């Protein structure tokens, strides 16, 4: 059987696990690079070296973009108000998600588990906390992770975080295409959420008042020991620690049901 045919038969959850391993590997390479030559050897000429080395121009640009006071979106919770809550906060099952809107593994997780998560939230059995990070901006350069996270925080201010969050993942560009670095694209996607694309939302997206909050989220994530995105934790236990028993929608339902009983 050819490699192409073999790949075509993999399940969605296997592709998600593989993508997440790729994200972890990429982050590890970034931490351990000691010379620009090493970057060139691994990635070739197709990707700009300055965009991938720690302390590169892209990183400096994002530091300038995140200058200013730390302003959390309305309703954010947790230490330093870095998490956006969704669902019944009295639910016994608590899903903690660290995500990057440019991260393809995050897109696979959201598009694969969205209906299940919303179903459980709708029943009052699950609450979720979303922390938005900029790992792909740091690895590949660009601003799409940062600008999309700020826009999502603006949507939270407008009471429409979850709907906009979902639309960003439904419209997610390829990882190497920094489409979300263009604010016009973020506003275009906002048109898919009724009542969101108002003058106040547009100003929030353009001005980036939550950029420093997003950077704080990334800094905290970098120090947390988590290895990549998506990081998904249910009641304190990572759901991706055991690749031999990958997460499925049915398994998630079972884990939430067990948490309800506990």
């Amino acid at each position: 059987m050819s490699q192409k045919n073999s790949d075509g038969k993999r399940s969605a959850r296997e592709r998600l696990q593989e993508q997440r391993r790729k994200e972890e590997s990429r982050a590890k390479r970034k931490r351990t690079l000691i010379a620009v030559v090493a970057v060139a050897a691994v990635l070739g000429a197709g990707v700009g070296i300055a965009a991938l080395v720690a302390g590169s121009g892209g990183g400096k640009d994002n530091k300038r973009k995140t200058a200013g006071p730390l302003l959390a979106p309305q309703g954010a919770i947790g230490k330093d108000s870095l998490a956006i809550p969704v669902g019944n906060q009295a639910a016994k099952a608590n899903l903690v998600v660290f995500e990057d809107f440019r991260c393809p593994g995050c897109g696979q997780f959201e598009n694969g588990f969205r209906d299940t998560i919303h179903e459980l939230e709708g029943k009052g059995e699950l609450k979720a906390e979303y922390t938005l990070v900029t790992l792909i901006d740091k690895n590949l350069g660009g601003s799409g992770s940062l600008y999309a996270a700020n826009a999502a925080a603006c949507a939270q201010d407008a009471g429409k975080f979850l709907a906009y969050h979902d639309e960003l993942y439904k419209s997610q560009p390829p990882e190497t295409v920094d489409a979300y670095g263009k604010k016009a694209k973020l506003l275009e996607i906002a048109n898919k959420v009724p009542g969101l694309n108002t003058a106040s939302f547009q100003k929030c997206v353009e001005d980036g008042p939550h950029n420093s909050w997003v950077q704080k989220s990334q800094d905290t994530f970098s120090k947390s020991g988590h290895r990549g995105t998506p990081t998904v934790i249910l009641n304190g236990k990572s759901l991706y620690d055991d690749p031999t028993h990958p997460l499925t929608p049915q398994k998630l339902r079972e884990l939430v049901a067990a948490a309800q009983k506990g």
Side-chain angles (χ1 to χ4, degrees):
M1 179 181 294
S2 69
Q3 181 63 43
K4 180 178 179 180
N5 289 337
S6 175
D7 288 345
K9 292 180 179 296
R10 291 183 302 176
S11 67
R13 64 175 179 268
E14 288 172 333
R15 291 197 301 273
L16 175 58
Q17 291 292 333
E18 180 180 340
Q19 183 61 54
R20 191 171 187 278
R21 287 195 294 270
K22 288 179 181 178
E23 290 296 325
E24 293 173 1
S25 177
R26 184 180 292 110
K28 182 177 179 180
R29 287 200 304 271
K30 179 177 178 246
R31 290 193 300 268
T32 58
L33 285 176
I34 59 174
V36 169
V37 173
V39 180
V42 174
L43 297 174
V47 178
I49 292 173
L52 291 156
V53 180
S56 67
K60 291 177 182 177
D61 286 346
N62 274 346
K63 286 182 180 179
R64 286 194 291 269
K65 292 165 187 171
T66 56
L70 192 153
L71 178 63
Q74 294 181 20
I77 63 174
K79 181 176 174 56
D80 296 321
S81 299
L82 297 181
I84 295 178
V86 174
N88 175 18
Q89 294 305 294
K92 293 182 179 180
N94 184 34
L95 192 71
V96 174
V97 184
F98 295 86
E99 289 184 327
D100 182 329
F101 286 112
R102 287 182 68 186
C103 159
C106 300
Q108 290 179 15
F109 169 73
E110 286 295 337
N111 294 327
F113 288 86
R114 179 185 300 113
D115 291 345
T116 303
I117 291 173
H118 288 351
E119 171 193 334
L120 295 169
E121 289 170 342
K123 291 179 178 179
E125 298 175 358
L126 178 69
K127 60 183 175 182
E129 300 175 10
Y130 291 92
T131 298
L132 310 176
V133 301
T134 59
L135 192 62
I136 306 302
D137 283 0
K138 289 174 69 66
N139 286 345
L140 297 183
S143 303
S145 302
L146 173 65
Y147 288 171
N150 172 74
C154 296
Q156 169 69 8
D157 289 338
K160 297 180 181 292
F161 167 79
L162 188 58
Y164 187 60
H165 163 276
D166 291 353
E167 291 297 340
L168 285 171
Y169 279 114
K170 291 176 185 178
S171 302
Q172 186 185 59
E175 178 183 18
T176 55
V177 178
D178 192 26
Y180 288 167
K182 297 178 175 61
K183 295 175 181 178
K185 181 64 175 178
L186 298 171
L187 295 175
E188 175 187 321
I189 294 172
N191 287 326
K192 299 180 180 182
V193 180
L196 176 58
N197 201 2
T198 62
S200 60
F201 176 78
Q202 293 167 15
K203 179 174 173 53
C204 187
V205 171
E206 292 291 345
D207 293 351
H210 301 300
N211 286 352
S212 293
W213 172 80
V214 176
Q215 186 57 55
K216 177 66 175 180
S217 296
Q218 173 59 42
D219 292 343
T220 300
F221 179 76
S222 295
K223 299 172 184 176
S224 69
H226 297 311
R227 295 177 295 174
T229 54
T231 291
V232 185
I233 301 168
L234 182 66
N235 286 7
K237 182 178 180 180
S238 173
L239 298 184
Y240 287 101
D241 280 349
D242 185 3
T244 62
H245 296 88
L247 184 67
T248 65
Q250 180 57 33
K251 182 177 179 180
L252 179 59
R253 290 189 184 94
E254 293 170 359
L255 291 171
V256 170
Q260 292 299 107
K261 294 177 181 178

